[in-house]
């Protein structure tokens, strides 16, 4: 369970987030949706303790993220930011192995190696293990980053726009991987997605945000209505049914 | 849903094979290590034995060999400090362009030397030479660095860029202060001072050498024990935090250790701005992967080989011993510029 109580964050005079209260239950995929600047990344990075909140309290799996030992948190919670740029030259396998750091402190045991292998396998990276990150396509690199946080073997996995820079096929595949991480590995996945249709097709819960506040929380069926979406995204949105699923249409 | 997933997986496998290129050929780590090791031994032997005209076994011969041993010891310490210090600095700041001198070390050294001459006269430089002064000088540099880092890192807005900026500004301030005092010196005082302000391996402080060795050993061990943490730090604040590393604490520790290394080197032979950059860059080039368990020993080895080689060639072949630092800095500065122009400020 992820619990946010009265959490807020301001940059100077502008309030980026909150105050918000939110509970995300264990298991499944929760998608944060909303227009640019709604505060999705701010909220996710606060939960992932990469950013300190001005007020309020965040608990993940019973641990207060602002007070608990960083090393303990790293075994419970992993977060992947939107932008990742490293100066070091790493192979895919080395990158994924760093995901084991909270458990191994750098000295990989056979169990750690097995976990790294499993994460590589899970994201179809076995053949690319010895490739350097700068020798990969954008989609392959994105998968390598996700493999790193999966190798960290945490109950809670937070991802900020993991579909960034992915074409259709890769975006669909990535959501498939995340769905399997939730279903087969029992991870609690929280993602920020740009495209509400991906949220509707893969997530168990949608949290809609605008102007730094949470406006709606519910299942895809509950959130995917013309009224709610038009209000959240401040643009006319229609919702069709396709294959028994809601589909937002908003191009013109 | 299951169908979508397996299709997705198939799509991935396709693109993976589509874009796969043959993995580039990599030189195994031991090759550059062996070359650098062999060169180190060769140059060390060269410095020790080359062109010693006195008969073997005579007292004079032994004295010369002993003096040259001191030079080799100094070179090893300086190479270690500059090489390892710069590489660790690069890791802690997650950049590969800046060098520790950006934090104002060289400028601080200059201002101390200049102030000595300014207030106490030209004789003061020689009169105060010795273990006490060197130790005090190093201590002062480490103290300033620690206070600076500590102060800047304890705030809520802790930010590496602010730290670097303050370092640059302080460096410029120290630099102007030195220049101002130098303007007021007599020409002969200025002459004596300038000889001191260019690094000079030949006139290092002998008494200080064993202490410097000890300090290098301790700092080296601490860094070596943290090599895996360094690997993580290089990935930046957010990834480090995600992996449970206390980023601010660890970066602060590394920066203080770097301050210790650079101050030891500066106190021994004077400032060197680009040498560390050159050997660290060389290390990144010759090693395919960036684990500190490989980079730390490699940068120490390469730095030693390069500095010994430069010393041997310049002193024993061209008889230009006093020019070594000047020439290394000239070449290093050129390498730095070329690197900047080719890669940009990334
Ligand atoms: N570092 C920052 N400094 C100042 N303002 C920021 C910063 N980061 C985000 N903001 C502001 O906070 C608000 C929320 O941003 P963000 O959480 O990134 O939105 P989202 O991820 O939903 O697009 C925006 O108005 C943004 O301009
Ligand atoms: Mg965002």
């Amino acid at each position: 369970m992820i619990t946010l109580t009265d959490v807020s964050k301001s940059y100077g005079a502008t309030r980026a987030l909150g105050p918000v209260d939110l509970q995300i239950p264990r298991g499944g995929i929760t998608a944060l949706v909303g227009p640019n600047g709604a505060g999705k990344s701010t909220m996710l990075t606060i939960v992932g303790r990469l950013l300190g909140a001005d007020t309020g309290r965040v608990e993940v799996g019973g641990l207060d993220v602002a007070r608990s030992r960083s090393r303990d948190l790293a075994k419970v919670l992993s977060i992947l930011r939107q932008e990742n740029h490293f100066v070091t030259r790493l192979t895919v396998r080395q990158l994924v192995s760093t995901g084991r750091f909270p458990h191994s402190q750098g000295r990989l045991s056979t169990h750690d190696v097995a976990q790294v292998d499993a994460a590589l396998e899970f994201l179809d990276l076995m053949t690319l293990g010895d490739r350097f990150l700068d020798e990969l396509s954008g989609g392959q690199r994105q998968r390598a980053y996700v493999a790193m946080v999966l190798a960290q073997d945490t109950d809670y996995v937070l991802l900020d726009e993991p579909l960034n820079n992915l074409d259709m096929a890769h975006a669909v595949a990535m959501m498939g991987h995340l769905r399997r991480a939730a279903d087969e590995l029992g991870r609690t996945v929280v993602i920020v997605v740009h495209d509400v249709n991906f949220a509707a097709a893969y997530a168990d819960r949608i949290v809609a945000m605008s102007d730094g506040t949470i406006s709606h929380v519910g299942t895809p069926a509950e959130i995917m209505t013309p009224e709610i979406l038009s209000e959240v995204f401040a643009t006319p949105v229609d919702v069709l049914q396709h294959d028994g699923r809601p589909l937002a249409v908003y191009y013109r | 849903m299951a169908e979508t997933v397996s299709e997705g997986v198939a799509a991935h496998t396709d693109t993976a094979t589509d874009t796969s290129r043959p993995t580039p050929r990599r030189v195994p780590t031991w090759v550059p290590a062996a070359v650098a090791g062999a060169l180190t031994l060769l140059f060390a032997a060269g410095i020790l034995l080359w062109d010693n005209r006195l008969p073997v076994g005579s007292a004079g011969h032994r004295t010369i060999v002993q003096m040259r041993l001191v030079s080799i010891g100094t070179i090893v310490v300086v190479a270690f400090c500059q090489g390892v210090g710069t590489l660790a600095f690069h890791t802690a700041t997650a950049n590969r362009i800046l060098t520790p001198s950006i934090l104002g070390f060289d400028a601080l050294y200059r201002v101390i030397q200049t102030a000595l001459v300014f207030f106490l006269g030209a004789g003061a430089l020689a009169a105060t030479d010795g273990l006490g002064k060197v130790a005090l000088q190093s201590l002062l540099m480490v103290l300033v660095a620690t206070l600076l880092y500590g102060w800047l890192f304890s705030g809520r807005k802790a930010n590496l860029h602010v730290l670097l900026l303050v370092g640059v500004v302080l460096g410029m301030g120290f630099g102007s202060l030195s220049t101002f005092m130098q303007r007021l010196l007599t020409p002969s005082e200025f002459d004596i001072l300038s000889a001191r302000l260019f690094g000079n391996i030949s006139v290092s402080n002998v008494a200080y050498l064993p202490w410097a060795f000890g300090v290098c050993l301790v700092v080296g061990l601490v860094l070596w024990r943290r090599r895996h943490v360094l690997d993580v730090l290089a990935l930046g604040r957010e990834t480090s935090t995600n992996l449970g590393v206390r980023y601010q604490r660890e970066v602060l520790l590394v920066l203080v250790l770097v301050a210790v290394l650079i101050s030891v080197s500066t106190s021994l032979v004077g400032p060197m701005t680009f040498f560390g950059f050159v050997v660290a860059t060389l290390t990144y080039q010759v090693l395919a992967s960036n684990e500190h368990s490989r980079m730390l020993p490699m940068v120490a080895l390469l730095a030693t080989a390069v500095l010994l080689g430069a010393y041997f060639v310049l002193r024993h072949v061209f008889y230009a011993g006093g020019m070594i630092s000047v020439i290394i800095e000239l070449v290093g500065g050129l390498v730095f510029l070329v690197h900047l122009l080719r890669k940009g400020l990334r």
Side-chain angles (χ1 to χ4, degrees):
Chain A
M1 177 101 108
I2 298 176
T3 314
L4 290 86
T5 318
D6 190 36
V7 174
S8 70
K9 175 79 191 175
S10 300
Y11 292 103
T14 52
R15 167 146 300 194
L17 181 72
V20 294
D21 292 277
L22 178 68
Q23 298 206 330
I24 300 175
R26 256 195 94 142
I29 297 181
T30 301
L32 308 184
V33 303
N36 292 335
K40 307 181 294 290
S41 298
T42 303
M43 189 165 92
L44 199 79
T45 42
I46 288 174
V47 174
R49 51 96 163 77
L50 299 184
L51 185 68
D54 293 341
T55 66
R57 213 177 128 80
V58 178
E59 270 190 25
V60 176
L63 295 177
D64 182 331
V65 297
R67 292 204 171 68
S68 305
R69 261 176 28 131
S70 196
R71 208 156 136 185
D72 297 335
L73 277 168
K75 293 178 188 168
V76 174
L77 161 78
S78 57
I79 177 164
L80 183 65
R81 291 278 279 134
Q82 216 164 325
E83 305 285 335
N84 293 283
H85 172 71
F86 300 146
V87 288
T88 25
R89 202 164 142 80
L90 294 172
T91 65
V92 172
R93 177 171 281 279
Q94 283 170 340
L95 177 78
V96 177
S97 300
T98 59
R100 295 302 301 165
F101 187 82
H103 307 273
S104 68
Q105 297 299 310
R107 293 174 191 78
L108 295 184
S109 66
T110 44
H111 173 69
D112 293 317
V113 175
Q115 293 278 317
V116 170
D117 283 336
L120 288 172
E121 185 101 56
F122 198 84
L123 284 146
D124 282 309
L125 290 166
M126 275 317 238
T127 53
L128 300 178
D130 292 327
R131 233 17 131 66
F132 283 102
L133 289 182
D134 54 13
E135 300 167 350
L136 298 179
S137 72
Q140 291 167 338
R141 203 173 306 140
Q142 191 71 13
R143 266 191 289 151
Y145 291 137
V146 173
M148 171 172 82
V149 290
L150 284 190
Q152 205 173 327
D153 197 18
T154 55
D155 283 345
Y156 298 87
V157 180
L158 316 178
L159 305 162
D160 198 349
E161 304 213 15
L163 305 185
N164 232 4
N165 300 325
L166 298 189
D167 61 22
M168 277 187 221
H170 289 90
V172 168
M174 177 60 77
M175 288 309 291
H177 290 309
L178 296 179
R179 189 67 250 174
R180 281 173 52 225
D183 294 343
E184 295 171 19
L185 308 178
R187 308 294 177 84
T188 305
V189 181
V190 181
I191 54 173
V192 175
V193 258
H194 215 67
D195 184 341
V196 272
N197 287 324
F198 270 115
Y202 289 92
D204 301 296
R205 274 172 302 279
I206 294 180
V207 175
M209 297 184 67
S210 53
D211 288 333
T213 57
I214 294 169
S215 47
H216 301 273
V217 181
T219 63
E222 287 162 1
I223 302 294
M224 296 291 285
T225 67
E227 297 74 34
I228 292 181
L229 291 183
S230 303
E231 171 210 316
V232 168
F233 288 95
T235 187
V237 179
D238 202 3
V239 176
L240 311 177
Q241 288 294 318
H242 173 73
D243 233 4
R245 288 176 184 285
L247 186 69
V249 186
Y250 47 86
Y251 298 101
R252 53 182 297 160
Chain B
M1 183 62 73
E3 256 174 41
T4 333
V5 171
S6 57
E7 271 169 31
V9 171
H12 265 323
T13 321
D14 283 352
T15 40
T17 40
D18 275 351
T19 51
S20 69
R21 288 156 282 176
T23 26
R25 209 162 50 89
R26 271 168 224 141
V27 187
T29 310
W30 65 266
V31 175
V35 171
L39 284 177
T40 300
L41 291 180
L42 192 72
F43 289 134
I47 292 173
L48 215 52
L49 306 174
W50 185 270
D51 202 21
N52 187 344
R53 303 232 173 93
L54 297 172
V56 180
S58 69
H61 186 275
R62 226 173 301 132
T63 310
I64 289 183
V65 169
Q66 266 166 14
M67 281 168 56
R68 290 178 174 185
L69 267 177
V70 170
S71 295
I72 292 178
T74 308
I75 290 172
V76 171
V77 167
V78 169
F80 182 90
C81 288
Q82 293 286 344
V84 171
T86 307
L87 192 125
F89 184 78
H90 283 179
T91 296
T93 55
N95 92 91
R96 289 182 168 182
I97 301 286
L98 303 173
T99 60
S101 67
I102 197 148
L103 293 169
F105 285 117
D106 298 0
L108 187 59
Y109 173 82
R110 287 197 176 93
V111 88
I112 292 174
Q113 303 294 323
T114 310
L116 271 179
V117 177
F118 184 75
F119 290 112
L120 304 175
L125 274 185
T128 54
D129 268 353
L131 187 58
K133 176 179 152 194
V134 174
L136 206 69
Q137 209 164 269
S138 311
L139 218 64
L140 196 63
M141 284 193 242
V142 173
L143 205 71
V144 168
T146 309
L147 284 180
L148 187 66
Y149 304 152
W151 167 56
L152 285 168
F153 257 4
S154 57
R156 263 175 72 83
K157 296 225 167 79
N159 183 337
L160 211 53
H161 291 113
V162 175
L163 175 87
L164 293 176
L165 200 65
V166 171
V168 172
V169 171
L170 271 186
M172 275 160 51
F174 288 149
S176 316
L177 197 62
S178 309
T179 313
F180 172 70
M181 288 192 281
Q182 284 164 15
R183 289 276 154 87
L184 303 177
L185 296 178
T186 66
S188 61
E189 281 173 336
F190 182 71
D191 194 41
I192 292 170
L193 177 66
S194 353
R196 196 54 75 90
L197 290 185
F198 283 109
N200 194 336
I201 290 164
S202 312
V203 294
S204 77
N205 291 285
V206 180
Y208 186 49
L209 205 52
W211 293 92
F213 258 108
V215 171
C216 285
L217 197 70
V218 172
V219 174
L221 273 178
V222 174
L223 285 174
W224 178 252
R225 291 202 49 179
R226 307 193 95 70
R227 60 194 183 279
H228 300 299
V229 177
L230 290 175
D231 286 340
V232 173
L233 284 185
L235 303 179
R237 186 181 72 85
E238 297 187 330
T239 309
S240 301
T241 308
N242 173 49
L243 294 174
V245 168
R246 297 199 343 219
Y247 182 75
Q248 263 170 243
R249 206 191 75 147
E250 295 292 338
V251 166
L252 185 61
L253 175 70
V254 174
L255 289 181
V256 170
L257 291 178
V258 169
V260 172
L261 288 177
I262 300 300
S263 69
V264 165
S265 161
T266 310
S267 300
L268 263 181
V269 301
M272 283 185 147
T273 307
F274 293 112
F275 174 66
F277 168 81
V278 170
V279 289
T281 306
L282 198 60
T283 304
Y284 306 138
Q285 302 287 330
V286 300
L287 287 180
S289 88
N290 290 158
E291 294 148 305
H292 283 80
S293 56
R294 288 172 193 208
M295 289 199 297
L296 288 174
M298 185 64 87
V299 76
L301 197 57
L302 281 175
T304 310
V306 168
L307 205 53
L308 282 173
Y311 186 83
F312 175 69
V313 170
L314 288 174
R315 184 179 168 115
H316 294 284
V317 181
F318 291 114
Y319 301 105
M323 297 288 286
I324 293 164
S325 303
V326 179
I327 289 180
I328 286 183
E329 291 301 281
L330 179 67
V331 175
L334 283 177
V335 173
F336 181 71
L337 263 184
V338 170
H339 184 84
L340 269 194
L341 292 176
R342 277 184 52 205
K343 299 230 164 152
L345 259 177
R346 266 191 302 123

